Amino acid sequence: MISTKIPKMIYGGDYNPEQYDRETMNEDIRMFKSAKIDFVRVNIFAWAISQKDEVSYDFQWLDEVIDTLYENEIKVGIGTGTAAHPAWLAKKYPDVLRTEFDGKKRKFGGRHNSCPNSLTYQKYASLFVKKLVERYQKHPAVLLWNISNEWGGACYCENCEKAFRVWLKEKYRTLDHVNKAWNTTFWGHTFYDWDEIVTPNLLSEHFGERHTMFQGISLDYARFNSDSMLECHKMEYDIIKKSLPDTIVTTNIMGAYKPLDYQKWAPYMDVIAWDNYPSIETPTSYTAMMHDLMRGLKNGEPFMLMEQTPSQQNWQPYNALKRPGVMRLWSYQAVAHGSDTVLFFQMRRSSGACEKFHGAVIDHVGHENTRVFKEVAELGEELDQLSDTLLNSRVQSKVAIVFDWDNWWAVEYSSGPSISLKYVDEVHKYYKALFDQNIQVDMIGVQEDLSQYEVVIAPVLYMVKPGYAKKIEDFVEKGGIFLTTFLSGIVDENDLVTLGGYPGELRHVLGIWSEEIDALAPEHTNKIVMEKEYGLLKDVYSCSLLFDLIHSEGAEVIATYGKDFYQGRPVVTKNKFGKGQAWYVASSPDDAFLQGLINEIIKEKGIRNDFSGNEPGVEITKRIKGDKTYVFVLNHNSDTVHIELSSVTGLNLLTGEEVFQSIELASYDVAIIEQSK
Amino acid sequence: MISTKIPKMIYGGDYNPEQYDRETMNEDIRMFKSAKIDFVRVNIFAWAISQKDEVSYDFQWLDEVIDTLYENEIKVGIGTGTAAHPAWLAKKYPDVLRTEFDGKKRKFGGRHNSCPNSLTYQKYASLFVKKLVERYQKHPAVLLWNISNEWGGACYCENCEKAFRVWLKEKYRTLDHVNKAWNTTFWGHTFYDWDEIVTPNLLSEHFGERHTMFQGISLDYARFNSDSMLECHKMEYDIIKKSLPDTIVTTNIMGAYKPLDYQKWAPYMDVIAWDNYPSIETPTSYTAMMHDLMRGLKNGEPFMLMEQTPSQQNWQPYNALKRPGVMRLWSYQAVAHGSDTVLFFQMRRSSGACEKFHGAVIDHVGHENTRVFKEVAELGEELDQLSDTLLNSRVQSKVAIVFDWDNWWAVEYSSGPSISLKYVDEVHKYYKALFDQNIQVDMIGVQEDLSQYEVVIAPVLYMVKPGYAKKIEDFVEKGGIFLTTFLSGIVDENDLVTLGGYPGELRHVLGIWSEEIDALAPEHTNKIVMEKEYGLLKDVYSCSLLFDLIHSEGAEVIATYGKDFYQGRPVVTKNKFGKGQAWYVASSPDDAFLQGLINEIIKEKGIRNDFSGNEPGVEITKRIKGDKTYVFVLNHNSDTVHIELSSVTGLNLLTGEEVFQSIELASYDVAIIEQSK
Amino acid sequence: MISTKIPKMIYGGDYNPEQYDRETMNEDIRMFKSAKIDFVRVNIFAWAISQKDEVSYDFQWLDEVIDTLYENEIKVGIGTGTAAHPAWLAKKYPDVLRTEFDGKKRKFGGRHNSCPNSLTYQKYASLFVKKLVERYQKHPAVLLWNISNEWGGACYCENCEKAFRVWLKEKYRTLDHVNKAWNTTFWGHTFYDWDEIVTPNLLSEHFGERHTMFQGISLDYARFNSDSMLECHKMEYDIIKKSLPDTIVTTNIMGAYKPLDYQKWAPYMDVIAWDNYPSIETPTSYTAMMHDLMRGLKNGEPFMLMEQTPSQQNWQPYNALKRPGVMRLWSYQAVAHGSDTVLFFQMRRSSGACEKFHGAVIDHVGHENTRVFKEVAELGEELDQLSDTLLNSRVQSKVAIVFDWDNWWAVEYSSGPSISLKYVDEVHKYYKALFDQNIQVDMIGVQEDLSQYEVVIAPVLYMVKPGYAKKIEDFVEKGGIFLTTFLSGIVDENDLVTLGGYPGELRHVLGIWSEEIDALAPEHTNKIVMEKEYGLLKDVYSCSLLFDLIHSEGAEVIATYGKDFYQGRPVVTKNKFGKGQAWYVASSPDDAFLQGLINEIIKEKGIRNDFSGNEPGVEITKRIKGDKTYVFVLNHNSDTVHIELSSVTGLNLLTGEEVFQSIELASYDVAIIEQSK
């Protein structure tokens, strides 16, 4: 946990002084100080600078950087630099280069360019990290180690093919098990020798972006690829930890990034650190969900906002500026969801190559008289004032949403029923319904204990892993409310259908049988007709995407379809099970329905948000430490709003003013109210 | 002809018990019987299961399957299993793998994965089929042999390149002939050695999906590729026929599937068998046209509906369920157009891989209490009642539409005049005008005799093969009505323009000269202005796509363009020629015009449909056997309709009720009225 | 300059008699004469015909063609034939084949298929051209030599990779300079050996169509590729010039063709010759701009319209016919902008391969009784009447628009700020504003002297090359008006940002600082609010795309943004500098604003068009020779218009009628009024 190492919320970000001269660095540091910047991340892509061949290392430049920063009381996050291998390595040892999804062998270029199963890459990356550790392990400036940078992508080379077979042998032991897990009797794919197995890509089982002819092998390859990168990560992690068991080691990850199963990565990150890059169109609720997903990776421990842009990006189609106040607002949104840092990419804009148009604290103009720098400096001042107040405070949620990478891969690798089904979108629909009512949520994996929650929502829980149905039954039996949707309970961990009727292992707890699944193009919707008023739900609502045709096997029918040949059949059911309830939503409803449904469910469990109304565009969260509760009020609107806060009273830490049950916030403004209790 | 071998319309479909256990097979068979299922197709993709290396065959599992089916009085269509080669074959002999259109060599994966010119593939496929024939030639359960499955795709490997040169040598004898046929003086492509010729693909003459810089070579490669697969098919056909000269041998084909010229394949199929997979959006008339195209491959002999889904598919973007009644309706539509079977893919859903969401007679739930199974069982009962009544009855048409694969390839390989021109769409426009008036149509190739027809329609007859213009002239001379459209008569069989004025060899019979061809984007339409009332045609109509600027050379001008610089020039002409007429439609008209035109043309030839009105969404066809006429009335509407049937009277075989000149049919309902005479 | 060699405007075009027989050629020549066609371009793609192996040349066919043409008094432009290499060369020496952007090695096919860095290609192309020169150098029919044909594309093979390193060595001398120019410290790309540098393509730095991770290397590769082709061009140029120093040698180029920097090519073309292929949707102003761009390549010298279609094309999506009169109108438009020729592709349509649907003077019908041939013959008659009247007359402009290929590449390689930014579109917006007011424009490169201009407009002058800022300052100082836009002055010639504040080196002359650049999706627009009335500008206008947030540093604020957080900040500024003015337009305005702005600016400099009104769709230009001014009036409208011409009086050379201050022109009609003075 980073908060044990720092006296205040660290503030700063990525810094690449190797791109400029010493004089510029001095000027940078002067400006950093004026903005209360006290932490920078260095050496992220500097492997090639420090090592010019197999045997020659030269860290003089880095010594100078780190020493100078130290002299100026700026802490350092030291990157291991392995996120881009040197050109000489690629030229001499082409096995370090990746092979793409379509089978093309890459040349040197870009970043994240190494094959994770290249022994050459592993050898020279290890050696480089060892040299770094040797040199900087005792340096007092170093606050943490950052392995690589935004691990990602995938490789399909021969080395990976061979490593995949080994990975499969370890997992399945016999080919019989593989053949069974992948259902290879279909289309005559029986394997008689491990070496007959090839990487599943556009040359073999895949066609188009996300389609595969064999889900089993593709799913295992997705796991293998994530594991392969994790092995590289662990290799570096172990090197650093061996010498520095007490230091913080992490890597910066990317929210709902599909290729890597971060839930398996989290044990090898001492603190979760992530890069938050919403566009001007990203819903506020989506960003919030990402923060919660990241916080959920490590049991709710505070995380690091490792990167965000102070202003604009360069890789969006349209790179809008962050409007005045928005950088501060989104920084506090991260904190409101559990971040103990506010960090940027990047401190100074590069003058050439593809990120020259990416925003920076110090712009190409080079001085501090810019809107962006001023906003950064003002926030620096505030964070300085806040000192350690918020550090290590916790978010407490009674509601969990289940998010599972394997399930994501599996549901989207499936051929049918609908190409419009996107796992993250369906999860976000439910998240948003909670968010709009200011109910805090934990985003959890299937390995998590459920006993601390009152409500567990698992949208499109297509894959039910061994033991998970039992876990849910126990949860409901003891009084929990569980909710899931269409296309749940379909397959096991190998994407093999659970025979005997959908939703498979969840059928018992849900008290329903789903006989068929209709899929229609987006323009074809159906209606949700309430059987009777249910809380706020009294109208007719719309639903779309998939339409499970279910039979109640004991569940109460809450609403029915309003048209088509399944008019009158259940679309929403509630099953009493033990002391709890298990809900099934058989189609993808509109927002209004979900708002009403969620409102009713949380009311049943007595979950309240302590605020009298839900002002549109106003987000309210709490972090708790000891006997203090910090209420974050964030106005995402571009105009001033008056917000009723019911029983909330206390000091607004950002203004020093007392707040009594309501507050007025200007456009994009934030309040952090400290309550005792 | 399959009807000589069977006592009733066989009912069943694809069955893959190798994906489940013996107990499940027993349960399947119990259910088959309850649904009157009496035929299944087995071993379709089972090569890899039965052969684990070059020398080891093990058919025990298949013995058990076939014996058990036989014991239960279920007939078997035995697949040769060569549609997917085993993984070990690919690993040891990579020449069996295809090379794609973009030059990428494939690895093992998917299906239809063999290079047709791989000698290794040919060797081991032959050996496998021989083993199968040896083992099952006397098995009394076997009703027919099904070679491979849905032959398709193309290969561009070195073996194919070499085989292509040999194919060219056989066709052209000298390079001079090749150079002339391909017009290689254009862009300096003169070949001086056969080995200079390379496969035309994205690495050589092609760019984008359908564009080629040399139509001649691309057209020949399309023929070569279709021929290469046909050779593989014939290889298996000959093996089976050698031992079993009287058995039925076929392969399941796919309607208007562009890569394979089925008109050349038909002689090597003892019965036409095809797989019908309309989506929820497919026009009824399009499905009808596909049935007629398939029936036309073999002189109108009854065909097999070899595959259809009982419910939904998995590979459409949105896989809608077949609405209640639709499976039955579409089954009878196949019969109404000449099918003597109703067969499904698949009997039991697979539990894994890409077709796990494809509909099946027995669903994952595994029991018979599903809507789908019940509909299957009800139809089974009906077909059982129908017994052999309809078998081998024939469709009789006085109208033919010409459909030619070479022409399809050539017109769509051409660069210009318009990317919106799709051959099948233009053919379907004319088919639909006839269909909407319940006029039965034969879809015929250019090799067919025309003497049995009164009207022959050849939309976009771009390519006129040797002798075909003469055949049309003879047809018209003797009194036939011939109709063709814009962009006809342009090229010979090598895609070389017939010089001297469009429509080339058709100019004489049509009595026109087409000076220029205008092409406009779809939003730019012109008008068809009638010279005078012509039957029902009296308004102004719309046309689009291409606009031939024609001069009459004796033809009567029926209608003229209504705007643009060619306003007043002919758009529709009729030429009296001998005892007949030759029509030219110089643009692509709207539906209303085509309805009126077709109505008038058929009236001229005294072709009537015996039905007093054309109820929208109601399809009526006839099959005739001996002195019986079976009138099929199919209500494609989702509500009940009352249909006037003029002189039709007789017994509705599906209800046992007498029909007298009209009938009321519920949503999706069908009647088959047996008339004497 | 071609006009020194010819007695009249030559008329004719591409002729490929090798595709037909001798009899057809005789018939062609008869028709040529009837249409006053006196020039054809031959041998363009005929390499393969004349050379069947490394040592055998046979030019007999070409002798016959050229002799026959000569006998018939038709002049010849002789192509060098190297635009498509023979198949035998590709088979024997695969190094002549290109490697594509995605790394795929091509096979034989298409045209423009040679790797420019293939020594084999260079050797055999040279030899072939030498043979041609030897044979035809004294032939009296030959008027000019045409090297290759439409040079284009790019290659990424190993030979190119090696040649690229050599090109870099020559340019940068040391790797330190390369590393600096490309900013390789970013993402750890430091090169320690020249051989570590690989071609930038989809296998290395590029992703998607136009994105690169390193602009520096991609920009240099674009230059290298253009230079490589230019080297091949110069190789042929030198061979011909060595034997024939006084002959005209050129190559036909393609307007704003991105891959080749024609401004660097122009010195090696004795006359600019270009191929003009507008579609039916191309704005008239765009075609005009292309003519001016081409004329500008060689200091305004008259150019050759080398190709245009007499009727339709084949490679557009929808290949519309040129409406009656349009071919003549567009021919005179070329002349009105400086062409001294009117030439077509092609004389006779090919009968096969991909251009069989491309329009031709002689169509497939083969005779002269076609609309197209008649229009060609009528124009031939007119051009014959015009004799040498217009030859070598000049366009005189006081306004220049800067167009720079390096800038084009750089601005569109950049990642951010907006994918919607297209350099040519922004240039065209300003061109159109001038065009609509009938103000003639020179399109000039950055190497051109500015002293002859009153107004210089440089839209999106993103890259400012060494010395160019000084050149502009001098120009303004002396009284010129300079105008530039958003995203100007950002980088140097290596795409490295000019630090210290945008617009970099232009900041001084413009008197502004651009602090930030906002980018919004196309649907988000802002408003331009005038500070006060400015000429015709008095309303509120719209702007979009990019939005520079600028500060005046002395410039007068002419207009401000009307909304968003930068409401009230300058959007249009004018800086007095010396005797002149420097304007900055910080966003992309609508047409109405640009019309008003341009109107005001030219009024300030006393630039007038001598015509009293600007009739929509009527284009008016002047060419001047000695004491004669030729006023071209072109009616692009499809109906008759009456045009006020103010002081213009004189003889309409096309009708022989006197014009006095106004004229009426029918649809698509043209007048050329000869004025004295």
Side-chain angles (χ1 to χ4, degrees), chain B residues 102-104 156-158 161 182-193 195-199 201-206 212-216 410 413-420 462 487 490-491 495-502 507 513 515-524 545 547 549 551 564-566 569, chain C residues 16 18-20 24 45-53 84-89 91-92 97 100 102 104-113 149 280-281 311-324 345-346 348-358 363-367 369-374:
Chain B
D102 64 0
K104 287 205 289 274
Y156 298 86
C157 75
E158 275 186 45
E161 191 162 271
W182 296 352
N183 197 35
T184 58
T185 46
F186 177 79
W187 284 3
H189 271 47
T190 308
F191 296 106
Y192 293 101
D193 186 298
D195 290 352
E196 289 163 23
I197 297 170
V198 298
T199 53
N201 65 7
L202 285 175
L203 301 181
S204 52
E205 302 295 5
H206 284 258
T212 173
M213 290 181 273
F214 273 77
Q215 281 66 34
Y413 271 144
S414 283
S415 174
S418 168
I419 54 160
S420 291
Y462 168 76
L487 207 72
I490 308 293
V491 299
D495 201 61
L496 292 175
V497 172
T498 301
L499 300 175
Y502 314 137
R507 190 168 169 188
W513 167 41
E515 183 182 339
E516 298 182 82
I517 306 167
D518 199 19
L520 298 172
E523 61 273 24
H524 299 298
L545 192 65
F547 311 87
L549 273 54
H551 302 263
D564 216 325
F565 76 90
Y566 35 90
R569 290 183 59 175
Chain C
N16 305 299
E18 67 273 23
Q19 292 180 26
Y20 289 94
T24 306
F45 289 107
W47 188 354
I49 301 176
S50 303
Q51 186 175 7
K52 71 176 181 191
D53 61 28
H85 55 231
W88 62 260
L89 192 70
K91 177 174 170 280
K92 291 186 187 166
L97 294 164
E100 293 186 346
D102 64 1
K104 286 204 291 272
K105 178 80 176 170
R106 290 191 62 78
K107 296 180 163 195
F108 175 74
R111 59 174 191 169
H112 308 141
N113 42 19
N149 180 76
I280 198 170
E281 311 287 356
S311 173
Q312 70 197 139
Q313 296 165 60
N314 69 289
W315 47 265
Q316 304 275 2
Y318 306 101
N319 295 281
L321 300 169
K322 283 186 179 170
R323 273 47 199 152
F345 177 85
Q346 53 192 334
R348 181 183 273 272
R349 272 198 198 200
S350 49
S351 66
C354 69
E355 289 184 348
K356 68 178 184 285
F357 282 129
H358 195 290
D363 209 328
H364 288 137
V365 71
H367 60 55
N369 302 312
T370 64
R371 175 182 74 90
V372 170
F373 190 88
K374 283 175 207 157

Side-chain angles (χ1 to χ4, degrees), chain A residues 293-307:
Chain A
L293 179 65
M294 295 292 95
R295 189 187 68 242
L297 294 177
K298 234 175 157 64
N299 291 310
E301 286 182 18
F303 60 89
M304 298 182 71
L305 176 66
M306 190 63 109
E307 293 186 15

Side-chain angles (χ1 to χ4, degrees), chain B residues 548-590:
Chain B
D548 274 15
L549 273 54
I550 62 179
H551 302 263
S552 169
E553 295 182 330
E556 180 187 353
V557 177
I558 302 298
T560 57
Y561 287 111
K563 60 177 204 180
D564 216 325
F565 76 90
Y566 35 90
Q567 180 174 359
R569 290 183 59 175
V571 62
V572 179
T573 59
K574 174 173 86 172
N575 195 40
K576 288 187 183 150
F577 187 91
K579 296 179 184 163
Q581 304 167 8
W583 288 73
Y584 194 78
V585 183
S587 183
S588 189
D590 59 22

